[in-house]
Amino acid sequence: MSDDPLAVTPRLGLGTMGIEEADRIASAIDIGYRHLDTAQIYDNEAVVGRGIERASVERGDLSLATKVWADSLAPEEVAASTRESLDRLGVGYVDLLYVHRPIDAYDSDETLPAFDRLRDEGRVRAVGVSNFDAEQVAEAREILDAPLAANQVEMHPLYQQDDLLADAQKNDYTLVAYSPLAQGEVFDVPEIRSVAEKHDVTPAQVSLAWLAGKDEVVPIPRSASDAHLRENLAALDLELDSDDVAAIESIDREEKLFE
């Protein structure tokens, strides 16, 4: 088991928001997914836990992440809500625990040391943040005793996050890309469709291959079917050439889906 909770193979995870069937989680694991991402506010941690229990892969071979929601970011609530998350997940620890958003009860000087304490206690292997800009990441890195493992952000060909990516690569943390297919918007982007036709693959696979091919990026698509789970995972076998990458990065359109 690596010291880095995101040093998993393959470098593509499963976003679980909206998944309410434990068998879907178990199927994803058995198909080959090793990084599972959930959150307190998704209200499906118990589903994810049952899926892990049903799968044919040992817990220690999985990287499991959850997020503390904004109303539980006071220090005492961080500890209490994380214990509740562990109970719902049916595990003794999570590999990665995120601050879900720096809003509401978030106070960097109070919240982040509470995450450090959970890591010291062994309930959390690594600490992450989510929906942080580069300035907020820098502040978190300054306050945390633990190395910052990841910043989970919206990232896809229509919202490419160049500045955050440069910061992640400079400071050695991972960008975990949620909504990597822009809620399906990438399917009709001409540049993406052209690359997909060139390689005889789907636009989804092109988008995922483009993200996964970047240093310090792990996309976490979600899927409602085994066929799409396999299709998304197969994107890691797609090798985009420099012309493909240039075409995607030249897209003159920017759409941020989540505020």
Side-chain angles (χ1 to χ4, degrees):
M1 184 167 58
S2 169
D3 289 336
D4 180 356
L6 289 162
V8 291
T9 302
R11 285 185 62 82
L12 183 147
L14 178 69
T16 68
M17 186 173 70
I19 296 179
E20 299 298 338
E21 298 176 353
D23 286 346
R24 176 68 54 225
I25 302 296
S27 290
I29 296 169
D30 291 339
I31 285 168
Y33 288 79
R34 295 294 178 266
H35 177 57
L36 308 175
D37 180 89
T38 185
Q40 293 172 354
I41 202 167
Y42 298 171
D43 197 27
N44 71 348
E45 289 173 318
V47 171
V48 172
R50 289 195 298 272
I52 291 171
E53 185 177 1
R54 293 177 189 179
S56 59
V57 173
E58 294 294 326
R59 164 69 182 94
D61 293 328
L62 300 173
S63 176
L64 176 60
T66 194
K67 309 176 197 73
V68 179
W69 183 240
D71 63 0
S72 295
L73 291 172
E76 64 278 5
E77 292 298 324
V78 169
S81 70
T82 300
R83 286 193 295 271
E84 292 167 358
S85 287
L86 295 178
D87 287 344
R88 287 189 292 268
L89 288 161
V91 297
Y93 68 95
V94 288
D95 298 272
L96 180 56
L97 185 70
Y98 292 99
V99 175
H100 201 144
R101 284 188 178 275
I103 58 173
D104 293 357
Y106 179 72
D107 179 327
S108 57
D109 288 325
E110 297 290 334
T111 300
L112 296 172
F115 277 67
D116 272 328
R117 287 191 290 274
L118 287 170
R119 182 174 179 267
D120 292 342
E121 293 168 4
R123 298 178 188 274
V124 172
R125 289 186 56 225
V127 173
V129 296
S130 183
N131 300 295
F132 277 44
D133 61 28
E135 183 176 337
Q136 290 165 330
V137 168
E139 180 185 44
R141 292 178 60 247
E142 181 69 24
I143 294 170
L144 283 167
D145 290 333
L148 181 70
N151 183 17
Q152 185 174 140
V153 295
E154 178 183 347
M155 188 178 185
H156 47 73
L158 300 179
Y159 193 60
Q160 299 193 11
Q161 296 278 28
D162 292 339
D163 291 343
L164 265 182
L165 177 58
D167 188 69
Q169 292 172 341
K170 176 183 177 181
N171 293 298
D172 195 29
Y173 64 88
T174 300
L175 286 186
V176 176
Y178 71 77
S179 295
L181 305 180
Q183 306 289 290
E185 292 293 319
V186 299
F187 300 163
D188 296 319
V189 176
E191 293 87 347
I192 300 291
R193 293 185 65 84
S194 178
V195 174
E197 290 168 5
K198 171 182 170 180
H199 292 278
D200 192 26
V201 296
T202 67
Q205 288 174 314
V206 169
S207 297
L208 294 173
W210 172 73
L211 284 165
K214 294 180 178 296
D215 185 33
E216 299 291 4
V217 176
V218 174
I220 51 168
R222 56 178 175 165
S223 176
S225 73
D226 285 359
H228 284 147
L229 285 169
R230 291 189 175 91
E231 177 186 301
N232 290 346
L233 203 56
L236 295 178
D237 296 327
L238 173 59
E239 295 185 10
L240 301 178
D241 62 33
S242 58
D243 290 340
D244 301 329
V245 172
I248 296 167
E249 295 182 353
S250 73
I251 294 172
D252 187 20
R253 175 178 165 191
E254 183 172 293
E255 293 186 17
K256 188 175 189 297
L257 302 177
F258 300 94
E259 294 299 332

